[in-house]
Amino acid sequence: MVNDQTKAAGTNVLETIKDSLQIDKISEHVRQSKDSLLDVGLYACIGFLVGYLLKRYSTFIMFLVLFTAGIIALQQVDMLFISVNWDKVYELVGIQPVLVTGEGMAAIVWDWIQLNVLIVASLIVGFLIGLRMG
C-alpha cells in the first residue's frame, strides 16, 4: 500500500517536471531547424575549446585578463578609446541583439541568455566537457 502511494507520488512529480520543462516542444523546435543544430554544434565546440584551453593555459589567461583590465582602466581615464560596431558583431556571430529592459549588466546578460537559451546551453555543456578533459 505504501509502495503504491510512493510510486504514484514519484510518477506525479516526474510528470510535473516533464510538463514544466516542455521537452516535447523543445525537441520539436530542434528538429525543425537545421540552422539551430549547426549553431548548437558550433557553440558546443567553442565551449569545449574554451574549457580545454582555460585548463591548459590558465597562467597565460590570467595575464591576458590583467592586460584586458589595464586596457579597460586606460579607457576609463580617457587615455584610450575603443569603439566596437556591435551590429556587425551580432551579424557575424549570428545572435540576436538584446533590447535593454532592465538596469545593470546582470539584467542585460539575463535577457541575452533568455533570447539564446539553446546556444547558451550548448556552450555550457561544451565548456564543462572541455574543462573536464583539459
Side-chain angles (χ1 to χ4, degrees):
M1 183 82 173
V2 173
N3 289 337
D4 292 337
Q5 290 175 350
T6 306
K7 288 180 184 178
T11 304
N12 290 339
V13 170
L14 290 176
E15 287 182 17
T16 304
I17 291 172
K18 182 180 173 185
D19 291 340
S20 67
L21 290 178
Q22 300 174 353
I23 295 172
D24 297 332
K25 289 182 182 179
I26 293 171
S27 64
E28 183 64 29
H29 177 70
V30 169
R31 280 189 222 116
Q32 290 177 355
S33 175
K34 291 181 182 178
D35 291 336
S36 67
L37 285 176
L38 181 64
D39 288 344
V40 167
L42 177 67
Y43 283 96
C45 290
I46 291 171
F48 175 80
L49 186 63
V50 168
Y52 184 81
L53 293 175
L54 179 68
K55 190 160 184 182
R56 286 282 180 185
Y57 301 107
S58 60
T59 55
F60 174 74
I61 292 172
M62 181 184 65
F63 287 117
L64 185 64
V65 166
L66 290 175
F67 175 75
T68 304
I71 295 292
I72 291 171
L74 287 174
Q75 185 173 353
Q76 291 297 322
V77 295
D78 291 330
M79 293 183 72
L80 183 67
F81 179 73
I82 298 173
S83 177
V84 178
N85 187 350
W86 288 110
D87 293 331
K88 291 290 184 183
V89 172
Y90 290 145
E91 181 182 326
L92 177 70
V93 180
I95 58 176
Q96 298 176 1
V98 174
L99 299 174
V100 179
T101 58
E103 294 292 325
M105 188 62 148
I108 293 171
V109 169
W110 182 248
D111 289 342
W112 183 84
I113 288 172
Q114 288 177 337
L115 282 175
N116 302 291
V117 173
L118 197 58
I119 290 173
V120 171
S122 65
L123 186 72
I124 290 171
V125 168
F127 176 77
L128 292 175
I129 292 171
L131 200 60
R132 184 73 149 163
M133 294 183 78

